[in-house]
């Protein structure tokens, strides 16, 4: 990420890359972002994630992803991305009426 | 009396190594690793705690785990010498952890089949933890061995220095032979070849040399320790011994 | 990250930003923010992270001497958590476009501050319990507020930290209570520790509001929700009954309940001592910094080795693919 700094006493002692950590809280649940950490490769990122983010039985599975490989939408995207969904009520079940008398559907 | 004596060998290995690792807390090379070393230390001290309690129970003299940890003299400790050596640099700590953890997996796999139910239960729990310790330390052996010239030199020096303390891990005496014969303990000597194979595999992958077996230091199982243990215990036991009869 | 942000002084955008804060919006890393907000957050969050890391040292001093295996494990787990908390907050700070390496360099070069409390020595085993009770208690008061901070990554780190720190205070208070009902020697030891840590703990909340230049701005921007003095008073109100419950005396002759306000009034804090410690003349400032520098310097070859290893593997993989 950062080039070697001039004040480093040891060549190559620069910042290790940043990884994002996702944890599955219980079997069958989706993975959730729980934080980030630094590691030089995937194995180390996974081991560090276990030690940093799963010390208290927080989950059953971990994903680690280099932060630089995550592409996110921007605040400017909010309008075009999400507002158009506001008036599409027909995508939700409440939009539709069930004939009177049908209790279980 | 042989079962408590055997349990002390197992517990003291873990207590003393866990203590050495705990000295890293706040002083690790990077935050992530500080946390990892503390986790391993906590696993080992937790295992020691269970084993010491069990040793006290088997002994039948009413001694608790804490009494066994805090009120025995150095010559009464039964850990292998490798556990008590000062923590050294990070390379030394990792090299020791790797050598000991690979042994620990092999030993615990068998102890988890012990006819002694309580011991088998503790061993099964410890086995899972130790598999992680081995994976973590092996990953570092690869990185240090195949990292920079300096890291290669440091970790090779550590392995060379530690090698003469590894023989003791596989030593059998009459006590353990008898227990192994009864299905309570395991034959350590049988673990030597699988240990060499696994250690050799990782060292080769890390472009490190496996030292030749030469003279092996020994004596821990009979309480003949290095001078380091007395200092470690002086620190560990000072508060407990300064307040006789106190609860904490 | 922020380098492509529009002019930081743009008054229109600043007004929009402040309107968002006023609405209670949570600010996320890619959102536009005034440069001053970003800088204040970096300053405050990195100080907080440095404090967690330095905070490992005074208690870590007793891990190898803990008097029972149970206490040894809980203390080690607690100090380990401090490393985790430092890590969470550093990662939160990194979302503002700085990296941890730079933050650590500023800290190790003495350019960044950390909480003054950690410049006091831990002299007896009782200090460990009292720190858990007072220092973690004070930290929880502060961090419960910060869990509602306007900056999302900071608030989320605080939520996680608060959840974990509850055990810290509990283990501290439990240890204190055990000592307080223990042998005369234990009791004397814990009262002495209370005497030494009480006033520095009150100082943790920072200067009085009138002397705290950053506070007003941080409150206006929703980073802080309460002032230093409000938080300090809350801590005193929580702690006095806890001290009474275990028959320990807080070393303040002016401490008394005020019926009118419902607060425990307390005496004058020695601000000269506070500023001396902040400026580097506390009992352990030099030792703390020296210990952190030593760990960093001795770890340099390890960090460089891992980076070199990964670079070799990447090069080999690229070579194989080519």
């Amino acid at each position: 990420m950062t080039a070697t700094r001039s004040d480093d006493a040891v060549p190559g002692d620069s910042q290790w890359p940043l990884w994002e950590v996702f944890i599955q809280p219980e079997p069958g649940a989706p993975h959730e972002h729980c934080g980030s950490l630094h590691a030089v490769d995937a194995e180390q990122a996974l081991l560090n994630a276990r030690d940093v983010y799963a010390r208290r039985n927080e989950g059953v599975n971990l994903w680690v992803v280099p932060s630089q490989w995550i592409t996110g939408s921007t605040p400017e995207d909010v309008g075009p991305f999400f507002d158009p969904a506001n008036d599409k009520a027909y995508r939700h079940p409440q939009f539709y009426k069930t004939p009177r008398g049908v209790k279980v559907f | 009396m042989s079962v408590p004596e055997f349990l002390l060998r197992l517990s003291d290995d873990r207590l003393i190594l866990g203590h050495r690792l705990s000295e890293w807390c706040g002083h690790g090379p990077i935050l992530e690793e500080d946390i990892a070393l503390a986790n391993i230390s906590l696993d080992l001290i937790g295992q020691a705690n269970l084993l010491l309690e069990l040793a006290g129970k088997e002994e039948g003299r009413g001694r608790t785990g804490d009494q066994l940890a805090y009120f025995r003299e150095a010559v009464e400790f039964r850990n292998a010498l490798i556990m008590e050596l000062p923590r050294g640099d990070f390379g030394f700590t990792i090299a020791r952890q790797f050598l000991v953890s690979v042994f620990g997996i092999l030993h615990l796999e068998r102890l988890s089949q012990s006819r002694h139910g309580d011991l088998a239960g503790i061993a099964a729990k410890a086995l899972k933890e130790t598999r992680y310790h081995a994976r973590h330390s092996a990953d570092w052996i690869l990185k240090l061995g195949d990292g920079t010239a300096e890291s290669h030199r440091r970790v090779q020096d550590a392995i060379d220095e530690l090698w003469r303390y590894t023989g003791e891990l596989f030593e059998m005496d009459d006590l353990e032979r008898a227990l192994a014969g009864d299905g309570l303990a395991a034959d350590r000597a049988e673990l030597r070849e699988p240990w060499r194979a696994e250690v050799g595999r990782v060292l080769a992958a890390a472009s490190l040399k496996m030292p030749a077996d030469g003279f092996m230091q020994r004596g821990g199982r009979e309480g003949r320790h290095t001078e380091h243990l007395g200092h470690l215990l002086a620190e560990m036991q000072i508060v407990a011994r300064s307040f006789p009869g106190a609860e904490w | 990250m922020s380098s492509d942000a529009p002019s930081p002084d743009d008054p229109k955008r600043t007004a929009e930003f402040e309107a968002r804060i006023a609405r209670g919006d949570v600010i996320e890393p890619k959102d536009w923010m005034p440069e001053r907000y970003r800088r204040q957050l970096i300053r405050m969050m990195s100080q907080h992270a440095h404090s967690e890391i330095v905070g490992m040292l005074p208690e870590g001093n007793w891990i190898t001497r803990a008097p029972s295996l149970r206490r040894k494990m809980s203390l080690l787990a607690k100090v380990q958590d401090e490393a985790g908390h430092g890590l969470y907050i550093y990662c939160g700070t990194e979302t503002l476009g700085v990296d941890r390496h730079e933050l650590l360099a500023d800290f190790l070069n003495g350019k960044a501050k950390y909480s003054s409390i950690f410049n006091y020595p831990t002299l007896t085993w009782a200090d460990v319990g009292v720190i858990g009770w007072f220092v973690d208690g004070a930290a929880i008061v502060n961090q419960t507020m910060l869990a509602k901070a306007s900056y999302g990554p900071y608030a989320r780190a605080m939520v996680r930290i608060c959840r974990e720190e509850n055990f810290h205070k509990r283990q501290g208070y439990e240890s204190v209570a055990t000592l307080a009902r223990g042998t005369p020697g234990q009791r004397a030891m814990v009262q002495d520790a209370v005497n030494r840590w009480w006033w520095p703990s009150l100082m943790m909340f920072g200067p009085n509001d009138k002397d705290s230049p950053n506070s007003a701005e941080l409150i206006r921007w929703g980073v802080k929700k309460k002032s230093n003095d409000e938080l300090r008073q809350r801590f005193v109100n929580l702690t006095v009954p806890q001290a009474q419950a275990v028959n320990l005396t807080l070393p303040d002759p002016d401490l008394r309940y005020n019926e009118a306000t419902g607060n425990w009034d307390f005496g004058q804090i020695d601000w000269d001592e506070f500023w001396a410690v902040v400026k580097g003349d506390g009992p352990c400032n030099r030792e703390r910094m020296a210990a952190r520098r030593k760990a960093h310097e001795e770890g340099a070859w390890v960090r460089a080795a891992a980076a070199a290893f990964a670079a070799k593997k990447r090069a080999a993989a690229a070579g194989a693919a080519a």
Side-chain angles (χ1 to χ4, degrees), chain B residues 8 17 19 23 27 29-30 32 38 41 43 49 62 64 79 85 116 119 143 150-151 157 170 178 182 186 222:
Chain B
L8 287 179
L17 183 57
H19 183 97
E23 295 170 356
H27 308 281
I30 188 164
E32 283 81 353
S41 174
D43 286 344
N49 189 30
T64 63
N79 58 284
L85 301 174
H116 191 297
L119 172 59
K143 289 182 167 62
E150 181 184 6
S151 70
D157 286 352
F170 304 96
D182 291 341
E222 293 108 57

Side-chain angles (χ1 to χ4, degrees), chain A residues 42-63:
Chain A
E43 169 74 358
Q44 191 181 49
L46 203 54
L47 299 183
N48 288 347
R50 180 262 196 193
D51 287 321
V52 174
Y53 290 107
R55 295 197 302 283
R56 289 180 165 83
N57 260 327
E58 287 95 335
V60 295
N61 192 269
L62 285 166
W63 288 347

Side-chain angles (χ1 to χ4, degrees), chain A residues 7-73:
Chain A
D7 58 349
D8 282 335
V10 173
D13 184 18
S14 55
Q15 180 74 69
W16 289 357
L18 196 63
W19 297 65
E20 300 302 323
V21 182
F22 299 81
I23 194 161
Q24 187 181 30
E26 55 189 34
H31 285 67
E32 290 169 6
H33 184 243
C34 61
S36 40
L37 49 75
H38 292 276
V40 296
D41 59 23
E43 169 74 358
Q44 191 181 49
L46 203 54
L47 299 183
N48 288 347
R50 180 262 196 193
D51 287 321
V52 174
Y53 290 107
R55 295 197 302 283
R56 289 180 165 83
N57 260 327
E58 287 95 335
V60 295
N61 192 269
L62 285 166
W63 288 347
V64 290
V65 184
S67 307
Q68 59 176 358
W69 290 356
I70 292 184
T71 307
S73 63

Side-chain angles (χ1 to χ4, degrees), chain A residues 64-93:
Chain A
V64 290
V65 184
S67 307
Q68 59 176 358
W69 290 356
I70 292 184
T71 307
S73 63
T74 66
E76 288 71 35
D77 292 332
V78 168
F81 271 42
F82 306 112
D83 289 354
N86 282 345
D87 63 353
K88 311 290 194 293
Y90 45 79
R91 289 204 176 95
H92 299 278

Side-chain angles (χ1 to χ4, degrees), chain A residues 1-2 5 7-8 10-18 34 36-38 40-41 44 51-56 58 71-76, chain C residues 13 30-32 80-81 84-85 87-88 91 94 99-102 105 109 160 164 167-168 296-297 300-304 306-307 309-310 314:
Chain A
M1 295 199 95
T2 315
R5 295 163 59 89
D7 58 349
D8 282 335
V10 173
D13 184 18
S14 55
Q15 180 74 69
W16 289 357
L18 196 63
C34 61
S36 40
L37 49 75
H38 292 276
V40 296
D41 59 23
Q44 191 181 49
D51 287 321
V52 174
Y53 290 107
R55 295 197 302 283
R56 289 180 165 83
E58 287 95 335
T71 307
S73 63
T74 66
E76 288 71 35
Chain C
R13 301 203 78 165
K30 288 183 173 181
D31 293 354
W32 186 88
Q80 177 194 43
D81 274 350
H85 298 172
L87 194 154
Y88 306 156
C91 287
E94 288 180 282
D99 71 26
R100 192 166 91 191
H101 202 71
E102 294 172 64
N109 294 331
R160 190 176 184 95
E164 297 186 356
F167 120 71
H168 297 181
H296 188 77
E297 284 162 14
W301 70 270
V302 178
R303 297 187 299 272
F309 170 86
R314 276 195 303 273

Side-chain angles (χ1 to χ4, degrees), chain B residues 19 25-26 29-32 35 39 41-42 66 70 142 146-147 150-151 154 235-236 239 246-248, chain C residues 53 56 64-69 71-73 76 79-80 84 100 178 186 292 299 301-303 305 309 312:
Chain B
H19 183 97
C25 189
I30 188 164
L31 269 178
E32 283 81 353
I35 297 170
N39 265 356
S41 174
L42 282 166
D66 277 345
Y70 288 94
L142 293 177
D146 202 11
E150 181 184 6
S151 70
R154 282 179 183 257
E235 188 173 336
M236 187 175 98
V239 178
E247 285 181 28
W248 303 98
Chain C
I53 303 310
M56 298 173 73
T64 53
R65 289 177 286 178
S68 74
L69 294 178
R71 292 285 173 208
K72 196 181 189 70
M73 288 188 278
L76 179 53
V79 180
Q80 177 194 43
R100 192 166 91 191
T178 307
Q186 285 177 302
R292 287 313 309 164
W301 70 270
V302 178
R303 297 187 299 272
F309 170 86
K312 279 188 211 175

